[in-house]
Every structure is written in C-alpha cells, then in structure tokens.
Amino acid sequence: MSNADDDMMLEVYQGNFEHGDQMSLMLALKHCLKRSQPLPEWAATALLTAIGQVQKYEATSWDEVFGVPHPGRKVDQLRIERRLRWEVLHRVTKYRRQKPKPKDIFQIVADELNISRATCKRYFDNLHRWFRKTPS
C-alpha cells in the first residue's frame, strides 16, 4: 500500500469516526501499528480521551468509549460469513465466466455450500460493496 493509499484509508477512518463509528478508531490504530507509522493527531486525541474517560471513572467499560464491537449482530453468524464469503465470491465469479452461464448462480453456490440463496447473495453483495469502497 502506498503512502497515498495509507493517507486515504486514514481519512476514511477519520470520517467514519466523526460520523459516530467508534470502531474506526480501532481500525486506524491497527492500520498504523501494522505499518509502524505514527497515529494521526485525530486518532491520538480520541484514544487519549477514551483512556482518560475510563481512568477517571467517567466511563464504566471500554465498550462505552470504543463502542460495542458488533452491535446487533450474532458473532457466530459473523464467523460463518467470514469463513464463507471469499468462497462465495470465488465460486460466483467462476460460474459467471462459464459459457454458457448457469441460470441461477447464487442458488448453485448456495447448494454447494449448504446455505440459503439469500445468504449466499448477501455474502457476495457485502464483499462486493466492501471492494467498491476500499481504495485501490
């Protein structure tokens, strides 16, 4: 990833954080730590503020200052999606390249992976959306 890509990712995290996505602070921290680069000022300030709130008993938990990691989502289902989404993408792409294309690719892949068609399509759409919003 180039410096410009790093800067763009950190800007995305900052914008998301400023719009209430507390997890974006953690993602920015992870991003910088993995690349041994300094934390941007906005993230350093937010992190120090969060630590201070817990240290001064203004917040009762880390979830209160950093947000609940997966609000409203069942972690078991998220684990299954994480395990299968790339396989869904791979198989759907493979079938789309065939001549002639199968009629209902999502149903075929769903049957192969023992999931519903709707779940298969959701995994594919979620990953596809992620690719569109991630800087290249």
Side-chain angles (χ1 to χ4, degrees):
M1 189 176 275
S2 71
N3 287 344
D5 290 338
D6 281 336
D7 292 344
M8 188 183 306
M9 273 312 292
L10 290 170
E11 286 177 21
V12 168
Y13 292 141
Q14 181 179 6
N16 290 346
F17 180 76
E18 289 171 354
H19 286 94
D21 179 7
Q22 293 169 297
M23 181 59 84
S24 290
L25 175 59
M26 294 289 100
L27 295 174
L29 180 60
K30 177 183 174 186
H31 182 91
C32 291
L33 289 171
K34 283 177 73 174
R35 287 162 181 77
S36 298
Q37 71 183 74
L39 203 55
E41 187 175 338
W42 70 267
T45 300
L47 185 60
L48 289 171
T49 299
I51 291 169
Q53 288 175 329
V54 172
Q55 188 178 26
K56 295 174 189 172
Y57 308 105
E58 295 169 358
T60 58
S61 72
W62 292 111
D63 284 357
E64 195 174 320
V65 294
F66 292 125
V68 177
H70 309 289
R73 305 279 314 266
K74 295 185 178 174
V75 175
D76 289 344
Q77 290 173 347
L78 292 171
R79 284 185 189 124
I80 292 169
E81 179 175 353
R82 184 177 184 142
R83 183 173 47 85
L84 291 178
R85 65 185 173 188
W86 292 101
E87 189 61 30
V88 165
L89 179 68
H90 169 72
R91 291 180 189 210
V92 168
T93 303
K94 179 182 83 174
Y95 284 124
R96 284 183 171 176
R97 290 183 178 150
Q98 286 183 357
K99 305 279 188 217
K101 291 180 187 173
K103 288 223 186 266
D104 190 346
I105 293 170
F106 290 111
Q107 187 62 57
I108 292 168
V109 173
D111 291 345
E112 290 174 355
L113 297 175
N114 199 27
I115 58 178
S116 73
R117 182 191 186 287
T119 298
C120 180
K121 182 154 179 13
R122 186 178 77 244
Y123 289 177
F124 179 84
D125 290 345
N126 287 348
L127 202 52
H128 196 258
R129 247 189 321 277
W130 179 79
F131 274 119
R132 284 196 313 254
K133 76 176 188 179
T134 302
S136 51

